[in-house]
Amino acid sequence: MEKRIYNFSAGPAILPEEVLKEAQEHLFALPGVGMSVLEISHRSKVFDKIIAEAKEDLKKLLAIDDNYELLFLQGGASLQFSMVPLNLMPPKNKADYIVTGSWSKKAVKEAKRVGTVNIAASTEQENFTRVPKQEEIKLDPDAAYVHFTSNNTIYGTEFHKEPEVGKVPLVCDASSDILHKKIDVNKYALIYAGAQKNMGPSGVTFIIIRKDMLERSQDTLHSMLNYKIHVDNGSLYNTPAVFGVYIINLVAKWLKNLGGLDAMYKINEEKAGLLYKCIDESSGFYKGHALPESRSLMNITFRLNSEDLEKKLISEASAAGFDGLKGHRSVGGLRASIYNAFPKKGVEDLVSFMKDFQKKNG
Ligand SMILES: *Cc1c(COP(=O)(O)O)cnc(C)c1O
């Protein structure tokens, strides 16, 4: 079998080896089915079971109660930038957005096509090196909802606690940190996440929606853009991403076997801790982009003293089997994305590589 390298890509991103091996083993024919998951009908009993198991396990992992519906849709997190305002903004037609990076800005762009957007807080002036403090967030108590991005994939910042929004429904784009730790889902009205960062392959978007929110979806909406229609049809209004849901189901089982999200969080803290320690103890050779209080556990962004040195590190790292370390063009530098599935050994190896590189070039 082909040897695997360390994949630090921000998304689509690394998946657990156990999941890939099981999918590979069963790709030709699912046990007892005689057909590949790529070939089965989305209306078959086999798929009914896959989607039901995936929902059940995700509900357990995140302790989601019966007050919420779970959906697997397509169109990526980017379609949610439109679906959220189309479904949830009326009749007030105004919502609060907390802007902490490029993805929040894209969410704002689409929401403005539907109604009035109040920028409740933005850290753009500081090049998104942090998320805002609670006292900086200027909320409208009459807003239809408050939208925020829990983890800023590009800048490497993260909310370690969700903003307090009182009685206003809280909506979250959790694309790049869903399932990295247990959260109190009851604080949210809606959570959405493109699967390809921390849950599965691209092509499927996971949505958790509180049942009362469904009353807002108007009949005049296009069916494919209407949460209520998708809920009424159990994510099967049209053909869903069958393979994507299958992989999410395997990933959920992998998380369960690992001991659930508290166990996962502990490992994530350890992994990120190793990299941030290496940055902090480098006497300024490596400079983290995010301020310490806003550091992401999923995407670690850092720079070196010159772009030439950054290029050199990326090219030597890539030759040594560390792939995908080039930072997003809007931040520059480097980004190590170390989602749930990224092995601790890979982080340890990167840290020794970075220390070695500093010795030779510092
Ligand atoms: C990747 C990402 C998106 C965009 O996801 P698509 O599935 O490509 O539409 C949106 N928000 C966040 C936080 C992301 O990391």
Side-chain angles (χ1 to χ4, degrees), residues 345-362:
K345 173 80 169 62
V347 177
E348 289 165 351
D349 288 356
L350 178 66
V351 166
S352 40
F353 178 86
M354 284 168 64
K355 284 186 174 160
D356 200 46
F357 185 86
Q358 183 178 355
K359 248 183 232 149
K360 290 181 185 141
N361 299 276

Side-chain angles (χ1 to χ4, degrees), residues 10 100-103 123-124 126-130 152-157 287-291 299-304 306-307 310 314 325-336:
T100 52
S102 317
W103 296 117
T123 51
E124 186 164 20
E126 294 161 58
N127 196 19
F128 298 124
T129 48
R130 64 181 184 96
N152 300 286
T153 327
I154 293 174
Y155 295 89
T157 62
K287 286 185 271 295
H289 176 79
L291 296 185
N299 313 96
I300 285 103
T301 46
F302 57 98
R303 303 215 59 159
L304 279 78
S306 76
E307 279 186 29
E310 289 168 347
I314 291 164
L325 284 169
K326 191 170 168 7
H328 189 274
R329 59 193 178 280
S330 51
V331 187
L334 286 89
R335 170 174 55 177

Side-chain angles (χ1 to χ4, degrees), residues 1 32 36 42 57 62 107 152 160 162 166 176 215 275 290 313 327 351:
M1 208 196 284
S36 167
H42 61 293
D57 284 342
L62 283 163
N152 300 286
H160 295 296
E162 46 281 283
S176 51
E215 289 158 23
L275 258 170
L313 174 54
V351 166

Side-chain angles (χ1 to χ4, degrees), residues 167-214:
K167 286 196 163 46
V168 180
L170 183 62
V171 174
C172 178
D173 174 0
S175 293
S176 51
D177 69 349
I178 186 125
L179 299 174
H180 91 295
K181 71 171 179 186
K182 205 173 261 170
I183 52 166
D184 183 0
V185 172
N186 287 313
K187 288 189 174 160
Y188 298 79
L190 191 150
I191 299 171
Y192 62 91
Q196 71 273 20
K197 314 279 167 56
N198 211 19
M199 293 187 89
S202 63
V204 50
T205 315
F206 176 54
I207 292 148
I208 307 169
I209 181 166
R210 205 171 63 209
K211 284 178 179 165
D212 64 324
M213 288 296 115
L214 298 169

Side-chain angles (χ1 to χ4, degrees), residues 1-199:
M1 208 196 284
E2 189 78 27
K3 187 177 171 286
R4 282 171 62 79
I5 58 171
Y6 289 131
N7 174 12
F8 290 92
S9 163
I14 189 165
L15 285 164
E17 282 196 6
E18 291 91 326
V19 167
L20 294 176
K21 281 184 181 150
E22 176 167 345
Q24 184 195 35
E25 193 188 335
H26 294 163
L27 191 67
F28 191 68
L30 284 168
V33 179
M35 284 181 278
S36 167
V37 68
L38 298 174
E39 303 163 306
I40 59 170
S41 163
H42 61 293
R43 312 253 175 231
S44 63
K45 286 221 159 57
V46 181
F47 187 64
D48 280 349
K49 187 159 171 276
I50 291 172
I51 197 167
E53 273 181 24
K55 279 189 192 174
E56 207 42 52
D57 284 342
L58 290 166
K59 276 180 119 176
K60 277 197 198 120
L61 284 167
L62 283 163
I64 305 171
D65 67 36
D66 290 337
N67 204 16
Y68 291 83
E69 297 281 357
L70 274 54
L71 290 172
F72 300 101
L73 303 183
Q74 299 188 54
S78 299
L79 184 60
Q80 296 309 305
F81 298 162
S82 300
M83 277 181 75
V84 165
L86 284 170
N87 283 268
L88 303 191
M89 246 206 231
K92 290 181 176 173
N93 290 326
K94 57 172 184 172
D96 285 354
Y97 277 70
I98 300 172
V99 176
T100 52
S102 317
W103 296 117
S104 325
K105 279 172 76 179
K106 286 191 171 161
V108 166
K109 185 178 167 197
E110 302 309 323
K112 278 184 174 167
R113 300 181 201 274
V114 181
T116 306
V117 171
N118 167 43
I119 304 296
S122 170
T123 51
E124 186 164 20
Q125 293 272 323
E126 294 161 58
N127 196 19
F128 298 124
T129 48
R130 64 181 184 96
V131 300
K133 296 188 186 76
Q134 182 67 35
E135 61 269 27
E136 295 171 305
I137 305 174
K138 302 278 175 285
L139 297 169
D140 170 2
D142 193 40
Y145 60 86
V146 182
H147 179 284
F148 81 111
T149 314
S150 51
N151 183 71
N152 300 286
T153 327
I154 293 174
Y155 295 89
T157 62
E158 190 172 21
F159 281 85
H160 295 296
K161 201 174 152 284
E162 46 281 283
E164 297 290 337
V165 295
K167 286 196 163 46
V168 180
L170 183 62
V171 174
C172 178
D173 174 0
S175 293
S176 51
D177 69 349
I178 186 125
L179 299 174
H180 91 295
K181 71 171 179 186
K182 205 173 261 170
I183 52 166
D184 183 0
V185 172
N186 287 313
K187 288 189 174 160
Y188 298 79
L190 191 150
I191 299 171
Y192 62 91
Q196 71 273 20
K197 314 279 167 56
N198 211 19
M199 293 187 89

